[in-house]
Amino acid sequence: MGLNSALNVASRSLALFSTGIEVAGHNVANSSTPGFIREVLDISTAQPYEKGGLLIGTGANLDGIRQEIDIHLEQRIYGSNADAAAAQFSSGIYQQFQTILNELGEDDLSTHLNTFVGSINDLINQPEVLGLRSAVIDQATTFADKITKIRGDVDNLRDNQNSEIDNLTGEANQLIDQIAEFNVQIVKLEASSNFSSNAGGLRTQRYEALNRLSEILPIEVRNTATGSAEVFSGTNYLVLGSQTHHLESFNESNDGFPSQSVRIEETQSPLDSGGGELNGLISGRDSILGDFVGQLDSYASAIIFEFNKIHSSGEGLKSFEDVTGSYAVDDSTAALNDAGLAFTPKHGSFEIKVIDQGTGAINTSVISIDLDGLGGNDTSLDDLQAAISGVTNLTATVEPSGELSISAANGYEFRFGNDTSDVLASLGINTFFTGTSSDDIAVNSIISNDSAFFATGQGGGDSDTRNAVLLAGFIDNPIESLNDVPIGDFYESLVSSIAQNAASDGALADGLNGFRDSLLGQRAQISGVSLDEEAVLILQYQQAYQASARIVTTIDELFNTLISL
Amino acid sequence: MSLGPILSGRLPNSLAISRSTQSLQSQNIYLQQLQDQLSTGQRFQLPGEEPAHAIRTVVLQSVIERNEQINVNTQQNQSFLSATDSALNSIGDIFDQAKGIILSGVGDSVTDAERDQLATEVGTLIDNALNTANTKHSGRYIFAGTDTGQIAFERSAQGIRYNGDLLETSSFIGVDSLIANNVNPDEAFRPFAKVQGVDVDPSLATSAKLSSLRGGDGISDLGPIEVTINIGAGNVTEKIDLTGADTIQDIITRLEAPFGGALNVALDAASGNGLELSINLPDTGTVAVTDIQGSNIAKSLGIESTAVATINGTDLNPTLSLQTTLASLNNGTGIGTTAGNGLLITQGTKSEVVDLNGLTTVEDLFNEIKLAGFDVSLGFTEDGSGLEISSRVSGANFSIGENGGNNATLLGIRTLTADTELDELNGGLGVHRDGTNSLDITRRDGTELEIDLSATRTIQDVLDTVNAIDPGVLVATLNSTGNGITINDSGAGGLLVIEPNQLAQDLGLQTFSETTALADLNEGAGVSNESPNVVTITQRDGAIHNLDLSSADTVQDVIDAINALDPGVLVASLSTDGTNGFSIADSSVGGSLIVDATQLAVDLGIDGTEATGTAPLIGDDVNAQLGLDNNPQNPAGIFDILSRLQTALINDDNAQLQNLDSQMAEELGRFTVVRGRVGSRLKLLDNVQDQLLDENIQLRESLSIEFDADLTETITNLTNAQTIMQASLQVTSQTFQLSLFNFL
């Protein structure tokens, strides 16, 4: 072919090198685009032809533009994204949660407990100062409010997580749809190409979407030959070509707390548990906060029951003329330990003292609570009502809602004592706290309305503080329902396990983040744009272009020589 | 944030930028943390940042909070105990002054006027002591037990009444460590005259609490026991868990339950104080009860036994409770007939019969005594076996006697019984038995006896000695009403006369004479003092006299009053026929001498009309042969001693003054010990406070080490971090300026 062929080769080279500068320019332009994968020009030597026993080269071919990416590294990044995101979220929950507890500050629960017990001590020191009785009630109210406040804050946090779960589910579904859409476009664009990454910009966007999706839930990505990415989570596919499965969040009750959970909408199968923000949120909400609420409930109910057990056997400055229990039974004919009471009474007895207001004469009756399960005569609330009504000058009734009411005849009043059966505490009679758990603990309104009903004594004078001494000592009593640990120690160990878990979760999150960052570093090293490198390439293409142009000029001169012959 | 390793090969700008950003971020975070440490002074803000330090911090904070409370408690206790100490100090001074007064008042050389003066001084001392005992500190009567709102001691009609209780007010000075911040008034002032009843052995009831058994030791650590029965078909063994049983009835129910009616468990009918286990059928059946190895529950319940037909449990010795029935006392034999009987309780000048008829429980008894208006405190003896009835009044005698029956004795609370030791009589003075003081009696038949009581130890010994002289005729018994010894001679003749020597006086023995107090007549019930206190006498000549006896105290006073109505004509004297009563002779003429049957005349036995116109009116027997109650109970404290001292000075009672001198010395010795105890408690509180201070310093130091930011370290770190940051910023900006593009 001769000169014409050489001219052809040179002109193709010009196109090739200008494309090279274009690609480098594209890379430079995207050097700050997040997630951008640098592109490289794929060039090959063109097919030679034979002429007179000689194989003559035909220059270079532009094969395509390729994205520089390590697919296996991407898979590892997806996995580490899920792990790091889950750890990051649960560590974040711990942060917020510790802020709620504020255990290192002045307004924490253990300080309030100490202040409450301290106020009882103050009363023991000076029982004749009536203001100190009110102070105990105030401190108890503050303490109970603090418990319900913490519970409320934790519930709010759980609520926030529910909304966050809804948001993330929505975001994941959008990403799934985007990836499916990208798949269609990429396949279409690359259908006629020999190269697997011709649709570079779209692929970059799809990588970004996959990357974000892998933070939200654990995924596995398979790239097909046609250029589409198949996304799986566990055994379910999320994207298969243009087919998609979506996530849905749904409500389920977790220990009575409405909790959002996530599943695959089409198959109703549960979310794979391998990490990700969704799993981080769900497990943080259920195991960190849910467990804490469980523990806080144990704490609150132990305080209520143990304090009430002591309180109900004591006497205040005033006697009752009538009283209604704060806890109801479900079935007034069932044995009291099987009647649906939150706190269970046991076999034993209590004393009820009826006092003639005129003469001061006292009539003490012992009421037996038979709960030995023998003889088919276990005491029901109806039996108890009948037994109390059998006491001269007392009438007991079972309220329609299931509480027990006791009232004295005109001119009489009554007090309680020596309850070995815990039945008074179980029924909420002559008790200090009401409620059963951390969300409803409060000071009995009978006492908050009139502190004279605060049972500090055991039948002595106005300054009899024998019961108050027991009440103040309850903080150090081992409590059976808390595995024989005193109330203060229980809370301290709860806080300490939170601190340790927070620290270990934080360390875990740091570790996982570090691992992910190192993978991202590797990715950046492979796929990131180096301006210097691009500059070198540009120089290279520039010089090659100049050389090719020089060939064209040379051939042109040769043609002119020929023509001028 | 950590920076990963850089692989060999290319270094894209994006990586360099992200690494620089990360490093700047982490340096910024570190700077912020240092700044937080400086602004809060805390080494960490959340427990999770430094868990080990945080846990120690939380614990230390809690310990410090509790120690602060204990410090407040200690200061309060110190304040109360110091007030107590200074009050007791003043009481100590009063003891010393009283002792001086006794020394001045004792002896024959002191004149009545001087003693009266001393008595006035004692009155002032009593006032001083009252003021001190009623010390109010921080709004609290510190000596009123837990009844701190009402005045502790106050004067009543009977004497000085204690209004408080005997409880301590305690407060925490450490975990589980309580200290009383008052003295038990019973220790400081001994304001109670305690009648401590004897063991009244209540029988076992099915409702008896297990904690009340075995003299109050109770049966604790309940667990399983093994019961084996054999009703002809071999041994059937059941392991029965007694955990949670509260009463005897619970034990019965649980023991019977597994055997479906084959085993009977009941209260032991024979002894009344234990359990009885028997086999229903056949007669040859046996029952055995054994303890599981390592426990002794069956033994404690008194029912451990090898195989026998019937197990008769041992005495479970329940203690008394408010619900104990009176009928169950004395092993179920009760307290005797109550109808028409009851208790005769005397407190100072107040004497009342407490009717026990219709009462069921001990609590009913207590209510009845309270309703009778006595200033008493009611409860049980320390071991729970007997009743304890205490008079709250100092300066007033307190006694519980019979009112015809034996209720007081069977309740175990009679203050004078056959078992009372002679040494205890007369407020601990005992009786004189120096040989010359034999009991000298002139019997109605004129026989004179000198009864040697030198070998007697108890009241019963005295009764036995007298009763041995002429069995069935000369009879000595305890008074059927009230307390004291009655000697009755059923022989004929004149009056039984007991020589009023010291021994007779000490034994409270007296015969009817001019000096007999009207209050001792009618078996100690005295005579009516209801208005109008008048005896209406119509003389034979028709003259009518309304005799006012309201100021008469003795028999002689009555005789003098009648003799003054119509001197020489209307003549009263002791009965002329040997009975213990009055005679009234009227030498005017006309009809018959008539005394109207007013209650007072009936009580004096002089109501009625004379038999003929010539004989005197012989009064009825006024039952005045009664012995006096020589064992009244008194509080032993300062108020009682001072009251009796005042009375002794007014009455010029030398013997009593000497007696009081020794009692006062004894009481002062005891009182000094009480003061010493308060002092040692104050010392203890000082120690606690010192310890708290030391501990507080140590705790705060530890807390500071754990929690506080070390400012020097933080500031150094901050400076360092700033330098690094600055360097890093500079290097970053310079690095990014280098680019090949600059050379294009």
Side-chain angles (χ1 to χ4, degrees):
Chain A
M1 264 198 3
L3 287 179
N4 273 335
S5 144
L7 194 62
N8 265 339
V9 169
S11 80
R12 259 211 324 275
S13 298
L14 287 179
L16 191 146
F17 293 125
S18 64
T19 311
I21 290 175
E22 218 176 316
V23 169
H26 177 68
N27 281 344
V28 170
N30 280 299
S31 64
S32 296
T33 310
F36 177 73
I37 298 163
R38 74 185 164 104
E39 294 177 354
V40 289
L41 204 59
D42 263 339
I43 308 170
S44 62
T45 309
Q47 201 70 35
Y49 65 92
E50 195 182 349
K51 192 172 106 181
L54 294 172
L55 270 182
I56 298 174
T58 56
N61 269 337
L62 174 58
D63 293 338
I65 299 166
R66 178 168 51 84
Q67 285 188 310
E68 193 65 47
I69 189 163
D70 180 345
I71 299 295
H72 300 292
L73 183 61
E74 288 300 308
Q75 287 288 12
R76 287 172 69 201
I77 289 174
Y78 298 148
S80 78
N81 268 345
D83 292 343
Q88 191 67 36
F89 266 60
S90 86
S91 170
I93 287 173
Y94 268 123
Q95 297 273 333
Q96 295 180 51
F97 177 41
Q98 289 181 88
T99 314
I100 290 174
L101 294 182
N102 188 25
E103 195 48 44
L104 296 170
E106 298 289 312
D107 186 38
D108 56 317
L109 191 54
S110 59
T111 302
H112 282 294
L113 175 65
N114 283 336
T115 315
F116 167 46
V117 175
S119 70
I120 302 177
N121 270 292
D122 285 337
L123 179 62
I124 292 169
N125 290 337
Q126 285 188 284
E128 56 281 339
V129 182
L130 286 176
L132 291 177
R133 297 181 82 83
S134 315
V136 173
I137 314 299
D138 291 345
Q139 292 300 346
T141 309
T142 313
F143 174 58
D145 287 351
K146 183 70 193 172
I147 294 180
T148 49
K149 169 90 170 39
I150 289 180
R151 171 63 186 268
D153 287 348
V154 171
D155 281 351
N156 274 341
L157 198 52
R158 291 204 281 181
D159 268 337
N160 290 344
Q161 278 152 14
N162 282 340
S163 342
E164 188 66 26
I165 287 168
D166 287 343
N167 291 341
L168 284 177
T169 308
E171 191 185 346
N173 285 337
Q174 270 181 10
L175 291 169
I176 288 168
D177 288 341
Q178 277 176 20
I179 292 166
E181 184 58 32
F182 286 138
N183 275 349
V184 174
Q185 293 177 16
I186 290 168
V187 168
K188 220 182 268 177
L189 271 174
E190 294 181 354
S192 54
S193 160
N194 293 331
F195 288 94
S196 57
S197 56
N198 269 4
L202 289 173
R203 278 182 174 262
T204 299
Q205 287 183 47
R206 192 175 65 185
Y207 279 127
E208 275 299 280
L210 286 168
N211 204 32
R212 174 68 192 124
L213 189 62
S214 72
E215 286 176 353
I216 298 177
L217 74 163
I219 57 170
E220 206 177 312
V221 180
R222 287 177 212 157
N223 291 296
T224 63
T226 57
S228 90
E230 294 176 348
V231 183
F232 294 85
S233 182
T235 53
N236 289 281
Y237 73 84
L238 298 177
V239 181
L240 207 58
S242 60
Q243 300 288 312
T244 53
H245 275 166
H246 289 92
L247 304 182
E248 69 169 355
S249 62
F250 64 100
N251 197 284
E252 64 177 5
S253 174
N254 184 8
D255 283 339
F257 189 80
S259 301
Q260 289 301 107
S261 211
V262 179
R263 63 189 169 205
I264 309 291
E265 190 179 357
E266 287 78 3
T267 61
Q268 301 281 299
S269 52
L271 198 63
D272 187 42
S273 62
E277 292 176 356
L278 279 174
N279 278 318
L281 276 177
I282 291 170
S283 79
R285 181 195 64 201
D286 296 346
S287 25
I288 302 175
L289 301 180
D291 282 3
F292 172 77
V293 166
Q295 302 269 44
L296 190 66
D297 277 345
S298 306
Y299 176 77
S301 77
I303 285 174
I304 296 170
F305 196 39
E306 297 302 318
F307 203 79
N308 283 350
K309 278 200 272 192
I310 302 171
H311 190 272
S312 59
S313 283
E315 299 184 9
L317 299 180
K318 264 190 183 173
S319 306
F320 294 101
E321 288 178 358
D322 53 70
V323 66
T324 301
S326 52
Y327 302 116
V329 296
D330 295 338
D331 179 0
S332 66
T333 61
L336 281 167
N337 54 3
D338 191 28
L341 287 166
F343 302 114
T344 314
K346 58 179 197 261
H347 187 89
S349 61
F350 68 92
E351 285 174 6
I352 189 162
K353 303 170 191 175
V354 181
I355 302 149
D356 184 330
Q357 290 169 330
T359 64
I362 303 173
N363 175 25
T364 312
S365 303
V366 177
I367 309 285
S368 293
I369 303 295
D370 185 343
L371 292 174
D372 56 10
L374 299 172
N377 60 349
D378 278 5
T379 308
S380 68
L381 191 62
D382 287 343
D383 297 336
L384 178 60
Q385 176 266 326
I388 296 175
S389 291
V391 174
T392 317
N393 296 315
L394 281 189
T395 314
T397 44
V398 176
E399 299 290 323
S401 45
E403 296 93 353
L404 184 71
S405 285
I406 307 173
S407 62
N410 253 349
Y412 291 88
E413 56 190 20
F414 56 95
R415 292 167 175 248
F416 299 95
N418 283 333
D419 184 4
T420 58
S421 66
D422 305 338
V423 75
L424 294 172
S426 303
L427 292 171
I429 292 173
N430 194 23
T431 51
F432 187 85
F433 286 114
T434 57
T436 56
S437 67
S438 60
D439 64 350
D440 59 357
I441 179 172
V443 175
N444 195 334
S445 59
I446 296 176
I447 289 174
S448 52
N449 290 338
D450 187 349
S451 63
F453 284 110
F454 178 36
T456 46
Q458 290 181 347
D462 286 357
S463 294
D464 177 7
T465 54
R466 283 174 294 175
N467 215 44
V469 163
L470 296 178
L471 289 172
F474 103 106
I475 193 173
D476 295 311
N477 293 347
I479 292 171
E480 205 182 331
S481 65
L482 302 179
N483 296 326
D484 291 326
V485 170
I487 199 92
D489 293 2
F490 175 81
Y491 189 71
E492 271 166 16
S493 73
L494 178 58
V495 168
S496 97
S497 76
I498 289 168
Q500 274 165 340
N501 291 340
S504 64
D505 265 33
L508 184 67
D510 278 352
L512 290 171
N513 268 332
F515 179 60
R516 185 186 57 177
D517 288 345
S518 77
L519 292 180
L520 288 177
Q522 286 182 37
R523 179 183 196 251
Q525 259 193 299
I526 293 165
S527 307
V529 178
S530 164
L531 290 179
D532 294 335
E533 193 179 294
E534 299 303 329
V536 170
L537 281 173
I538 290 169
L539 281 176
Q540 187 190 345
Y541 290 135
Q542 192 187 3
Q543 282 170 2
Y545 187 90
Q546 283 171 348
S548 300
R550 172 63 61 197
I551 291 174
V552 173
T553 317
T554 309
I555 291 170
D556 182 46
E557 283 171 4
L558 287 178
F559 273 123
N560 280 336
T561 312
L562 269 179
I563 292 165
S564 58
L565 279 178
Chain B
M1 207 170 279
S2 64
L3 294 177
I6 303 175
L7 300 179
S8 59
R10 54 196 301 280
L11 185 70
N13 288 51
S14 56
L15 179 61
I17 289 168
S18 77
R19 288 175 73 90
S20 301
T21 320
Q22 276 178 26
S23 124
L24 287 177
Q25 269 173 357
S26 63
Q27 285 178 49
N28 264 328
I29 289 172
Y30 183 51
L31 274 174
Q32 193 56 49
Q33 280 172 343
L34 289 173
Q35 204 176 332
D36 284 350
Q37 285 185 15
L38 285 175
S39 59
T40 58
Q42 293 174 199
R43 182 166 162 178
F44 44 89
Q45 314 301 322
L46 289 177
E49 292 169 28
E50 298 259 13
H53 289 289
I55 291 158
R56 285 196 287 272
T57 300
V58 169
V59 171
L60 284 169
Q61 282 179 338
S62 186
V63 173
I64 289 173
E65 281 162 13
R66 294 187 68 178
N67 274 2
E68 274 167 6
Q69 183 59 47
I70 288 173
N71 194 27
V72 171
N73 295 358
T74 312
Q75 283 170 0
Q76 282 286 344
N77 290 337
Q78 273 176 329
S79 156
F80 282 119
L81 280 175
S82 299
T84 305
D85 192 40
S86 88
L88 292 182
N89 207 10
S90 309
I91 297 285
D93 291 346
I94 291 172
F95 266 111
D96 291 340
Q97 291 174 41
K99 208 161 167 50
I101 290 175
I102 293 180
L103 291 177
S104 318
V106 85
D108 299 332
S109 59
V110 188
T111 64
D112 287 0
E114 282 169 341
R115 281 197 173 130
D116 286 347
Q117 174 58 34
L118 290 174
T120 315
E121 283 180 34
V122 173
T124 314
L125 284 187
I126 292 177
D127 287 341
N128 282 345
L130 262 178
N131 275 335
T132 312
N134 288 329
T135 300
K136 207 173 183 185
H137 181 74
S138 292
R140 167 193 296 192
Y141 286 103
I142 54 177
F143 293 112
T146 65
D147 263 334
T148 53
Q150 54 178 321
I151 193 160
F153 291 89
E154 93 188 303
R155 288 185 191 278
S156 74
Q158 307 294 343
I160 294 168
R161 182 178 64 217
Y162 176 58
N163 292 323
D165 58 29
L166 299 184
L167 297 171
E168 289 180 339
T169 50
S170 302
S171 147
F172 283 99
I173 53 164
V175 173
D176 286 340
S177 172
L178 282 169
I179 193 169
N181 55 27
N182 65 347
V183 287
N184 191 327
D186 201 25
E187 289 185 352
F189 296 104
R190 297 223 268 180
F192 283 139
K194 291 183 185 170
V195 176
Q196 295 192 309
V198 296
D199 188 349
V200 283
D201 266 333
S203 61
L204 190 63
T206 53
S207 61
K209 292 222 166 213
L210 299 182
S211 57
S212 75
L213 303 181
R214 306 205 307 153
D217 289 346
I219 296 170
S220 50
D221 295 331
L222 287 168
I225 61 170
E226 274 185 356
V227 179
T228 305
I229 65 166
N230 188 333
I231 50 174
N235 283 343
V236 178
T237 301
E238 293 283 354
K239 193 188 252 187
I240 299 172
D241 191 359
L242 300 177
T243 310
D246 192 41
T247 61
I248 284 290
Q249 181 58 53
D250 294 342
I251 299 287
I252 294 175
T253 310
R254 286 172 199 220
L255 291 181
E256 284 182 341
F259 297 104
L263 180 70
N264 282 338
V265 184
L267 299 177
D268 192 329
S271 73
N273 54 25
L275 286 171
E276 182 181 286
L277 278 69
S278 61
I279 296 299
N280 224 354
L281 274 176
D283 292 345
T284 53
T286 61
V287 54
V289 178
T290 52
D291 270 317
I292 305 284
Q293 199 171 8
S295 88
N296 59 354
I297 297 157
K299 195 176 275 170
S300 303
L301 283 168
I303 53 173
E304 188 188 37
S305 169
T306 51
V308 288
T310 302
I311 299 176
N312 291 103
T314 55
D315 186 352
L316 288 175
N317 193 19
T319 53
L320 289 170
S321 74
L322 291 174
Q323 282 73 43
T324 305
T325 59
L326 298 177
S328 74
L329 299 185
N330 303 300
N331 269 328
T333 55
I335 57 164
T337 310
T338 50
N341 297 323
L343 307 174
L344 179 64
I345 300 183
T346 308
Q347 185 173 42
T349 56
K350 178 181 168 71
S351 195
E352 291 271 347
V353 173
V354 176
D355 185 3
L356 306 185
N357 200 22
L359 304 188
T360 313
T361 63
V362 169
E363 189 172 44
D364 294 343
L365 167 70
F366 285 176
N367 281 332
E368 202 64 28
I369 294 174
K370 255 188 255 173
L371 291 178
F374 289 104
D375 290 321
V376 288
S377 166
L378 304 156
F380 303 104
T381 53
E382 211 164 304
D383 63 4
S385 67
L387 303 173
E388 184 173 283
I389 298 177
S390 312
S391 163
R392 297 170 159 273
V393 185
S394 295
N397 289 340
F398 182 64
S399 65
I400 302 172
E402 299 291 0
N403 184 41
N406 53 0
N407 299 153
T409 309
L410 291 172
L411 283 168
I413 50 173
R414 191 174 186 181
T415 46
L416 182 79
T417 66
D419 295 332
T420 306
E421 299 203 3
L422 300 183
D423 289 347
E424 294 172 9
L425 300 181
N426 304 303
L429 280 177
V431 295
H432 284 72
R433 282 183 295 189
D434 55 5
T436 55
N437 271 322
S438 63
L439 190 62
D440 300 339
I441 296 179
T442 307
R443 297 187 57 187
R444 297 181 75 166
D445 62 5
T447 318
E448 292 193 354
L449 298 172
E450 288 187 5
I451 306 170
D452 181 8
L453 295 179
S454 56
T456 56
R457 196 176 59 80
T458 64
I459 295 285
Q460 187 64 50
D461 295 341
V462 173
L463 300 182
D464 290 348
T465 310
V466 174
N467 289 335
I469 294 167
D470 187 357
V473 183
L474 188 67
V475 179
T477 55
L478 287 178
N479 293 0
S480 61
T481 302
N483 288 317
I485 302 170
T486 301
I487 299 180
N488 193 32
D489 186 356
S490 54
L495 281 171
L496 172 76
V497 177
I498 297 172
E499 174 68 28
N501 62 11
Q502 191 62 48
L503 178 60
Q505 279 181 29
D506 290 345
L507 284 170
L509 286 167
Q510 61 170 7
T511 46
F512 186 64
S513 71
E514 288 86 349
T515 58
T516 303
L518 296 182
D520 293 334
L521 302 186
N522 300 305
E523 296 191 332
V527 297
S528 165
N529 57 2
E530 278 170 30
S531 187
N533 236 1
V534 165
V535 174
T536 306
I537 302 173
T538 310
Q539 276 186 266
R540 291 178 185 177
D541 61 7
I544 296 175
H545 306 283
N546 283 322
L547 180 61
D548 181 2
L549 291 175
S550 54
S551 58
D553 289 328
T554 62
V555 168
Q556 186 64 50
D557 291 344
V558 174
I559 291 172
D560 289 349
I562 296 173
N563 288 347
L565 293 174
D566 191 354
V569 180
L570 197 60
V571 178
S573 62
L574 292 184
S575 179
T576 52
D577 73 344
T579 57
N580 296 322
F582 294 90
S583 291
I584 306 173
D586 183 8
S587 54
S588 67
V589 289
S592 292
L593 174 69
I594 300 168
V595 180
D596 291 355
T598 59
Q599 186 58 48
L600 180 57
V602 171
D603 290 345
L604 290 168
I606 54 175
D607 59 309
T609 308
E610 63 181 347
T612 69
T614 55
L617 189 150
I618 307 289
D620 298 330
D621 194 323
V622 287
N623 290 321
Q625 239 167 347
L626 289 169
L628 298 174
D629 184 356
N630 52 359
N631 193 30
Q633 305 294 304
N634 289 92
I638 185 165
F639 288 111
D640 198 68
I641 292 178
L642 289 179
S643 300
R644 282 190 286 151
L645 174 59
Q646 197 174 26
T647 312
L649 286 167
I650 292 168
N651 293 344
D652 299 324
D653 188 344
N654 232 333
Q656 176 72 333
L657 284 176
Q658 282 170 351
N659 173 34
L660 284 172
D661 188 34
S662 64
Q663 279 194 18
M664 175 107 56
E666 194 184 316
E667 175 64 10
L668 181 58
R670 201 194 55 76
F671 182 80
T672 311
V673 174
V674 174
R675 278 181 63 189
R677 278 210 287 269
V678 172
S680 68
R681 257 189 277 167
L682 275 168
K683 179 88 183 97
L684 171 68
L685 287 176
D686 277 347
N687 290 345
V688 169
Q689 197 142 37
D690 287 349
Q691 206 181 327
L692 277 176
L693 280 175
D694 290 349
E695 210 176 305
N696 201 26
I697 292 169
Q698 278 175 0
L699 286 169
R700 288 198 179 275
E701 191 187 332
S702 307
L703 180 64
S704 175
I705 291 170
E706 300 290 351
F707 191 39
D708 288 352
D710 181 341
L711 289 189
T712 322
E713 190 187 327
T714 312
I715 291 169
T716 314
N717 287 344
L718 185 69
T719 320
N720 195 21
Q722 269 177 332
T723 316
I724 293 173
M725 178 87 174
Q726 213 167 354
S728 161
L729 285 172
Q730 214 163 348
V731 169
T732 308
S733 64
Q734 281 174 359
T735 314
F736 285 128
Q737 278 170 13
L738 286 178
S739 169
L740 198 54
F741 280 99
N742 296 337
F743 304 99
L744 278 182

